[in-house]
Amino acid sequence: MTVEVEGGALVIRGERRDERADERGGRRIREVRYGSFRRTFSLPAHITGDDLTATYDKGVLTVRVTGAYRGSTAHRVPVTAGTATAAVEGAK
C-alpha cells in the first residue's frame, strides 16, 4: 500500500485480496477476489507530505493530516429569502 501527496491531492494505492472457503452438502466452494484500488482526496494548498502520517493496523488504514485547518477561517454567508417564498405567499 502507498500513501502519497501528488499535485495537491492525497493518493492512496493498494491491492486487496480476499479468499473464502466453505463446505456444504459435500461440496467445497472456494472464492478468491483480488484487485488493485486507488483513492484520491483533495488537500488544502499548504499541506505537504511532511504533514501526513499513516498507520495500518488490523486491516484499517489511518491517515492523519497535521495542520489541515491551519490558516483557515470560517466565512459566514448570509442567507436571504428567494423569490419562491414570495410566490408562495402571493398564492394564498
Side-chain angles (χ1 to χ4, degrees), residues 61-89:
L61 174 67
T62 302
V63 178
R64 296 189 189 279
V65 182
T66 304
Y69 297 108
R70 179 179 56 226
S72 65
T73 57
H75 178 75
R76 187 170 295 230
V77 177
V79 178
T80 59
T83 56
T85 304
V88 172
E89 289 176 3

Side-chain angles (χ1 to χ4, degrees), residues 22-85:
D22 193 14
E23 197 167 324
R24 292 185 201 164
R27 294 183 184 199
R28 177 176 279 177
I29 299 171
R30 182 173 176 212
E31 294 180 11
V32 179
R33 297 184 298 179
Y34 63 92
S36 61
F37 65 90
R38 175 187 166 148
R39 300 290 184 267
T40 305
F41 305 91
S42 297
L43 291 172
H46 65 276
I47 298 297
T48 66
D50 296 333
D51 298 317
L52 299 176
T53 58
T55 57
Y56 186 77
D57 185 28
K58 298 179 184 173
V60 177
L61 174 67
T62 302
V63 178
R64 296 189 189 279
V65 182
T66 304
Y69 297 108
R70 179 179 56 226
S72 65
T73 57
H75 178 75
R76 187 170 295 230
V77 177
V79 178
T80 59
T83 56
T85 304

